[in-house]
Amino acid sequence: MDFKRNAGILLHVTSLPSPHGVGTLGTTAYEFIDWMEKAGLSIWQVLPLVPTNYGDSPYQSVSSTALNYYLIDFDILHKKGLLKKKDYETRRFGDYAGKVNYSLLFTEKTKVLRLAFDKFEKKDPEFISFEAKGEYRDFAVFMTIKAMHEYHPWNLWDKKYQSYSKELEEEILTKHKEDYLFWIWTQYEFLDEWNKLHTYAKIKGIEIMGDMPLYVAYDSVEVWKHPELFVLTEDKEPKLVAGCPPDCFTEDGQLWGNPVYDWSYMKKTNYAWWNERIQKAFGLYDILRIDHFRGFAQYYAIPYGLPNARIGEWMDGPKFDLFKDKLDYRIVAEDLGFIDDDVRTLLKQTKYPGMKILEFAFDGSKDNEHKPSNYKENYIVYTGTHDNMPLYQYILDLGPNALDTFLIDLKEECNKLKVEMNQGSYEAVTETVVELAFASIANTCIIPVQDMLALDGSSRMNLPATVSTSNWSYRVLKNQLSDKLATRIKNYIVKYNRTR
């Protein structure tokens, strides 16, 4: 994959400004693309667009391929004649423009979408054709039953519904047809809005980089309907779950709890499920980042039921076998964490670009692979990811010795890359690190919006291995995406030859 020298921004759709509680695919998304064009940016990186479930994480979804109906825009539905302004403008979706209130979204957004669906013409030929393709049927059947059970996980449903069968599906399609069609419509409407937005981005010279989680949630349509894809007991309980072993950051490791794949079964099917999943993703995005890419080389499996990730073992994934026919795909490998020779071999075989993180770079070690002077071109450099503490707060939290090391290292890297170092304030140091990313040899430079704005820890997108209303809820304020910021970024882009 050949990435030209360019730059982008990391901002999830939910984090966009909007008047109705969460970022959507409406006006402010178009305005954000306009702002990106003004700043000279050419890649918009988003997080997974799948529906969120327990903990509001896009990495724990009820479906690996369905689309998040929270992102459907009310004003667009109003223009289509499906909503009156009073249907949504009188409702409360949150109290603060800088945070998503998922609790209110859960109770209020679906009610408004139902009102729109009631007015929608179900006999529209395009909609009938969309439903007939069956692409989102599994999701719609699953969500219909889930709603019948007050959205509880499938393993807590009435016994009759806990196992998929063709007969059960037919019963849902006939006895609960209106509810089923509602969930189909959410996908139909999302795709209509998304495809128009994506086309607009292309016209403006902006590509969208999507994100694919490695794993699916236990409470997902895939585990419910296709238990054969996972390492489960006869009762469909996990035998092994995913996570990360203990390291210098977490003494208990990270217990994610996702069921792990039965890779031997998947190999027998020539990886049909994965092939379809990746193809669908490229129907939405121009570039695809695959999260926890190292799990395809080896993955860490923990016996189900343990309280933490201290006890587990590394097991072989599919390695190159899964990707041998995908070498021309524009895939980015999230290769962070514990990297061994197996992972390095897989990256070399696929030639997919890996990621470098400047927040990890300035520790005093000359061999640190995150230092810009150690890069090769085929990397994507970030100041941080959605899982990192925003850079400004990270620097602020460094102890005296670590801060001295950070600044000495930073100055040395700035000298090597001919970047003027400004350490007059923590904001200035943050700006210097951002500029260093633009100056690096890495083909692509992507900066989270929090780091472009030098925001503190309250803007953190996610603290891994925790469930909190602070996670996934950050939103940028409209006035923060200023002309002044766009000019500063454009200057970096011109100066370091990252023009579109």
Side-chain angles (χ1 to χ4, degrees):
M1 181 176 64
D2 183 28
F3 270 105
K4 59 185 178 181
R5 189 164 171 80
N6 56 17
I9 187 169
L10 169 55
L11 180 73
H12 193 33
V13 179
T14 58
S15 298
L16 287 168
S18 94
H20 306 123
V22 67
T24 68
L25 305 175
T27 301
T28 52
Y30 287 83
E31 290 173 348
F32 180 64
I33 288 170
D34 291 342
W35 180 85
M36 285 185 64
E37 182 188 33
K38 196 181 297 179
L41 296 165
S42 53
I43 296 176
W44 177 10
Q45 182 179 337
V46 298
L47 300 183
L49 294 178
V50 290
T52 56
N53 197 11
Y54 173 73
D56 311 311
S57 170
Y59 296 88
Q60 294 280 353
S61 178
V62 294
S63 169
S64 65
T65 55
L67 302 157
N68 188 350
Y69 45 92
Y70 285 166
L71 308 184
I72 293 172
D73 187 74
F74 291 150
D75 288 329
I76 291 177
L77 295 178
H78 170 67
K79 286 174 188 169
K80 290 181 177 181
L82 300 178
L83 288 177
K84 295 177 179 175
K85 290 272 189 180
K86 67 177 184 180
D87 290 333
Y88 56 95
E89 290 197 337
T90 56
R91 291 179 185 264
R92 177 171 158 255
F93 297 99
D95 298 315
Y96 173 49
K99 287 285 179 185
V100 179
N101 185 325
Y102 283 101
S103 178
L104 280 173
L105 267 190
F106 176 74
T107 57
E108 297 301 312
K109 183 115 191 184
T110 310
K111 290 177 187 174
V112 179
L113 293 176
R114 284 272 185 180
L115 292 176
F117 176 67
D118 288 344
K119 288 188 180 178
F120 176 72
E121 178 50 71
K122 283 82 171 171
K123 292 180 180 176
D124 181 305
E126 279 190 20
F127 180 67
I128 290 171
S129 173
F130 181 82
E131 189 282 326
K133 286 178 185 173
E135 199 172 346
Y136 295 98
R137 184 171 297 160
D138 288 352
F139 165 74
V141 168
F142 186 77
M143 289 302 291
T144 302
I145 304 173
K146 198 171 179 63
M148 287 162 54
H149 290 85
E150 298 180 329
Y151 295 94
H152 289 308
W154 65 261
N155 59 322
L156 298 181
W157 296 349
D158 294 342
K159 195 76 176 168
K160 168 186 173 180
Y161 298 99
Q162 286 185 15
S163 293
Y164 170 84
S165 68
K166 192 66 181 170
E167 294 73 28
L168 177 61
E169 181 178 293
E170 289 301 323
E171 180 183 321
I172 295 300
L173 296 184
T174 51
K175 290 186 179 179
H176 303 276
K177 187 174 183 180
E178 194 75 1
D179 292 333
Y180 161 77
L181 286 177
F182 166 72
W183 293 109
I184 291 287
W185 172 79
T186 64
Q187 305 303 287
Y188 177 78
E189 178 60 32
F190 182 107
L191 283 170
D192 183 57
E193 295 185 16
W194 175 261
N195 290 337
K196 286 171 181 170
L197 181 69
H198 193 184
T199 298
Y200 186 76
K202 286 178 180 175
I203 290 167
K204 296 287 186 174
I206 289 164
E207 296 186 303
I208 298 179
M209 184 193 297
D211 197 303
M212 178 180 283
L214 172 59
Y215 293 113
V216 302
Y218 179 62
D219 181 28
S220 66
V221 63
E222 287 84 5
V223 176
W224 175 69
K225 185 175 179 179
H226 298 290
E228 68 278 5
L229 297 174
F230 306 91
V231 180
L232 307 174
T233 67
E234 285 186 9
D235 296 327
K236 292 207 294 189
E237 277 199 352
K239 289 182 184 176
L240 299 169
V241 294
C244 281
D247 57 22
C248 57
F249 300 107
T250 53
E251 60 180 29
D252 287 334
Q254 294 180 30
L255 180 63
W256 301 334
N258 310 71
V260 300
Y261 297 112
D262 185 337
W263 285 114
S264 60
Y265 173 84
M266 287 189 164
K267 183 178 175 63
K268 288 174 190 171
T269 65
N270 198 29
Y271 308 106
W273 182 81
W274 270 101
N275 294 337
E276 184 182 347
R277 188 183 181 196
I278 291 172
Q279 286 296 338
K280 266 193 175 182
F282 277 104
L284 294 170
Y285 313 119
D286 305 294
I287 308 163
L288 180 66
R289 189 196 89 126
I290 299 183
D291 191 57
H292 199 60
F293 192 79
R294 72 139 300 117
F296 294 108
Q298 284 191 322
Y299 59 94
Y300 189 67
I302 303 146
Y304 178 63
L306 294 183
N308 56 50
R310 289 183 179 183
I311 297 172
E313 64 174 310
W314 288 101
M315 306 182 80
D316 282 341
K319 303 183 190 294
F320 185 59
D321 198 33
L322 174 58
F323 297 101
K324 63 189 178 189
D325 58 351
K326 302 174 182 67
L327 301 186
D328 58 344
Y329 287 28
R330 299 183 72 199
I331 288 173
V332 173
E334 188 272 279
D335 58 341
L336 306 174
F338 174 67
I339 302 302
D340 58 14
D341 287 343
D342 264 2
V343 186
R344 292 187 186 97
T345 298
L346 180 56
L347 287 168
K348 197 174 289 185
Q349 289 171 317
T350 60
K351 296 185 171 63
Y352 298 154
M355 294 168 55
K356 299 300 172 195
I357 310 297
L358 287 180
E359 201 166 285
F360 301 155
F362 310 112
D363 62 353
S365 167
K366 292 191 183 302
D367 298 327
N368 185 319
E369 64 183 38
H370 295 282
K371 275 186 165 60
S373 56
N374 291 330
Y375 296 171
K376 294 175 183 172
E377 290 181 355
N378 191 35
Y379 285 128
I380 298 189
V381 58
Y382 294 78
T383 46
T385 74
H386 64 270
D387 282 335
N388 288 110
M389 178 65 80
L391 179 62
Y392 170 80
Q393 187 70 53
Y394 173 82
I395 298 167
L396 202 63
D397 290 343
L398 290 172
N401 291 338
L403 180 61
D404 285 346
T405 300
F406 184 98
L407 293 174
I408 290 166
D409 261 10
L410 176 60
K411 188 170 186 178
E412 193 171 307
E413 289 298 303
C414 285
N415 289 340
K416 288 178 180 177
L417 274 66
K418 298 181 171 55
V419 172
E420 184 180 344
M421 178 157 171
N422 184 347
Q423 57 186 83
S425 65
Y426 286 106
E427 289 90 346
V429 174
T430 303
E431 282 189 21
T432 299
V433 178
V434 169
E435 183 172 353
L436 195 63
F438 280 88
S440 77
I441 195 176
N443 280 345
T444 300
C445 154
I446 295 180
I447 311 295
V449 72
Q450 294 95 323
D451 294 347
M452 284 185 174
L453 293 165
L455 299 181
D456 65 19
S458 65
S459 69
R460 184 171 188 160
M461 192 61 170
N462 180 51
L463 180 60
T466 66
V467 175
S468 160
T469 55
S470 295
N471 288 343
W472 315 111
S473 59
Y474 164 74
R475 297 182 69 198
V476 68
L477 301 176
K478 196 165 186 176
N479 63 359
Q480 290 177 315
L481 297 171
S482 64
D483 288 348
K484 183 180 178 183
L485 179 61
T487 300
R488 177 162 68 89
I489 295 165
K490 186 68 178 280
N491 288 340
Y492 292 154
I493 283 170
V494 171
K495 183 177 180 181
Y496 298 110
N497 193 30
R498 293 190 180 273
T499 50
R500 295 191 290 138

